[in-house]
């Protein structure tokens, strides 16, 4: 095999969901947008539904339609981007629950699908999606007298527990929703970790399920192993790869490994990432190219057949730090070329 192997540990995924679920009193949903954070929404969704998840969130209606086909009729699928123009048939046929973000979306929904369930997204300060306080005041009575299933808002700074924005948004959410009888939701992964005040009736974790920060106790879900195509001896003073950016300082053994920036190992990782072999770090040397990277295996006791990028030795956030990004982006950048294997669940 010449492509990398992406192994997805569905037992770890379910165990992360259970751990987050155990921290709250209310319902714990699951966010599976962007193809389940790159790990496969259908497989991830089925494993979580078997574990007891009854409500899923996706970004757009198309993702919701695919998820419905994978999961069948017995779960609720909520769409963060709401009821967009042109989506009415899909929302109706696929039994999706749009989170209405504007008065226009709410009107479109109530006119086109009057009995059909929907939710409301409120803006409590992030200024990305949702109704502002005065808009909500003007439509709350109508919305809440219809088939409104939940009212949500989203925290901008939940990964920074001491950020004053968290409490500010919490207070705004109370101001906008206290007294309503529809279930309320404010917390994603970060919000769950902020504590019970932030939990309300249901929580919406995403990244923590997939082993990412800010859920520091998460088990790794994605394991990425790359086959070594070739190992060569490089003399002191010779260079490796495009641009000659790495020069051997000693006689070296260089492994050429089958993955590159087309597979989500960003070029910014050139000459700075770490790969692993049986618990030992192996420095990536030279430029990352489209399909290949090169690593210095001189210090390994034997010649490796493969090197690991993600898994027990390196979390998605450890790799993200090396690339100057976040675990979310590492996961959702994993390319389509890997062989994918699912275990457990
Ligand atoms: C992505 C998203 C989530 C999940 O966030 P995580 O940080 O991955 O847990 C929850 N709610 C909304 C509105 C989102 O956009």
């Amino acid at each position: 095999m010449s492509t990398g192997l992406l192994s997805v540990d569905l037992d770890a995924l379910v165990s992360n969901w259970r751990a987050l679920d155990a921290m709250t009193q209310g319902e714990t949903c699951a966010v599976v947008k962007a193809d389940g954070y790159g790990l496969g929404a259908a497989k991830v969704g089925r494993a979580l539904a078997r574990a007891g998840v009854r409500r899923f969130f996706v970004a757009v209606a198309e993702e919701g339609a695919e998820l419905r086909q994978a999961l069948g009729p017995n779960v609720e699928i909520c769409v963060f981007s709401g009821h967009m123009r042109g989506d009415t048939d899909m929302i109706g046929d696929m039994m999706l629950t749009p989170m209405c973000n504007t008065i226009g979306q709410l009107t479109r929904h109530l006119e086109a699908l009057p009995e059909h369930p929907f939710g409301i997204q409120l803006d409590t300060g992030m200024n990305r999606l949702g109704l502002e306080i005065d808009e909500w005041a003007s439509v709350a009575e109508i919305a809440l007298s219809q088939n409104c299933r939940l009212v949500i808002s989203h925290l901008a700074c939940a990964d920074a527990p001491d950020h004053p924005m968290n409490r500010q948004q919490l207070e705004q959410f109370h101001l906008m929703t206290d007294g309503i009888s529809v279930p309320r939701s404010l917390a994603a992964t970060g919000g769950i970790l902020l504590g019970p005040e932030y939990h309300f009736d249901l929580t919406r974790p995403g990244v923590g399920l997939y082993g990412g920060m800010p859920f520091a106790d998460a088990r790794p879900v994605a394991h990425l192993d790359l086959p070594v195509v070739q190992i060569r001896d490089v003399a002191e003073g010779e260079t490796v790869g495009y641009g000659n950016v790495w020069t051997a300082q000693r006689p070296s053994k260089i492994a050429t490994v089958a993955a590159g920036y087309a597979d989500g190992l960003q070029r910014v990782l050139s000459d700075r990432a770490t790969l692993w072999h049986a618990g030992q770090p192996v420095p990536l040397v030279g430029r990352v190219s489209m399909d290949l990277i090169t690593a210095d295996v001189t210090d390994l006791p034997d010649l490796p057949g493969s090197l690991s990028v993600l898994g027990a030795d390196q979390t998605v956030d450890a790799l993200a730090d090396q690339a100057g990004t976040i675990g979310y982006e590492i996961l959702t950048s994993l390319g389509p070329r890997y062989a994918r294997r699912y275990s457990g669940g």
Side-chain angles (χ1 to χ4, degrees):
M1 187 174 65
S2 60
T3 71
L5 174 63
L6 177 61
S7 309
V8 179
D9 183 347
L10 296 174
D11 285 339
L13 171 89
V14 165
S15 135
N16 291 335
W17 179 77
R18 292 212 170 102
L20 291 167
D21 183 46
M23 292 177 196
T24 74
Q25 300 289 316
E27 176 186 347
T28 305
C29 308
V31 179
V32 298
K33 61 193 181 190
D35 195 27
Y37 288 50
L39 299 183
K43 296 269 195 345
V44 157
R46 277 192 215 109
L48 290 170
R50 274 197 294 273
V53 175
R54 285 288 151 263
R55 198 174 335 220
F56 292 86
F57 290 86
V58 293
V60 296
E62 285 79 358
E63 293 178 336
E66 278 194 40
L67 190 66
R68 176 63 73 204
Q69 276 164 338
L71 299 186
N74 296 325
V75 296
E76 180 158 32
I77 299 173
C78 303
V79 180
F80 286 134
S81 61
H83 195 140
M84 298 283 283
R85 191 185 303 283
D87 282 354
T88 298
D89 287 348
M90 203 167 5
I91 288 168
D93 296 347
M94 293 303 196
M95 298 176 295
L96 306 178
T97 304
M99 300 289 106
C100 294
N101 291 300
T102 63
I103 293 179
Q105 286 196 345
L106 180 65
T107 308
R108 179 181 297 134
H109 184 80
L110 295 177
E111 284 177 2
L113 299 170
E115 306 294 316
H116 189 93
F118 64 97
I120 295 282
Q121 182 152 211
L122 300 176
D123 178 49
T124 51
M126 186 173 180
N127 285 311
R128 191 179 65 169
L129 285 176
L131 297 165
E132 306 243 345
I133 191 163
D134 54 330
E135 298 173 312
W136 175 230
S138 71
V139 297
E141 203 179 329
I142 298 166
L144 296 170
S145 70
Q146 309 285 322
N147 194 4
C148 182
R149 302 295 313 272
L150 69 165
V151 174
I152 75 170
S153 188
H154 194 48
L155 298 168
C157 302
D159 57 346
D162 297 329
H163 202 295
M165 184 69 164
N166 294 319
R167 187 145 293 278
Q168 211 172 299
Q169 287 192 266
L170 176 65
E171 281 164 16
Q172 185 76 355
F173 194 54
H174 275 297
L175 185 67
M176 293 171 82
T177 62
D178 277 355
I180 70 172
S181 55
V182 168
R184 295 187 285 178
S185 175
L186 181 60
T189 304
I192 293 174
L193 301 169
L194 291 179
E197 278 179 298
Y198 288 84
H199 295 169
F200 294 89
D201 301 297
L202 52 101
T203 52
R204 317 181 303 270
V207 75
L209 305 175
Y210 308 97
M213 287 294 280
F215 185 24
D217 297 331
R219 282 172 57 184
V221 174
H223 298 256
L224 181 58
D225 294 289
L226 307 176
V228 172
V229 179
Q230 177 173 15
I231 297 181
R232 76 178 66 248
D233 291 308
V234 172
E236 184 179 341
E238 282 193 291
T239 57
V240 170
Y242 283 124
N244 289 4
V245 297
W246 186 82
T247 305
Q249 304 298 313
R250 57 175 178 169
S252 304
K253 285 196 186 313
I254 298 299
T256 302
V257 181
Y261 57 75
D263 304 291
L265 301 179
Q266 293 102 308
R267 193 164 171 280
V268 69
L269 292 167
S270 294
D271 229 13
R272 61 160 71 155
T274 302
L275 287 73
W276 294 82
H277 182 67
Q280 257 187 272
V282 176
L284 188 161
V285 297
R287 289 258 168 87
V288 172
S289 47
M290 187 184 294
D291 318 301
L292 297 165
I293 51 181
T294 37
D296 182 355
V297 297
T298 315
D299 294 329
L300 292 183
D302 41 33
L303 300 180
S306 68
L307 294 174
S308 153
V309 181
L310 296 174
D313 290 321
Q314 184 155 269
T315 64
V316 291
D317 294 282
L319 184 64
D321 284 346
Q322 296 160 31
T325 182
I326 53 176
Y328 299 73
E329 195 182 17
I330 295 292
L331 285 171
T332 56
S333 302
L334 294 170
R337 213 160 26 172
Y338 299 122
R340 287 167 179 244
R341 189 168 296 163
Y342 291 83
S343 64

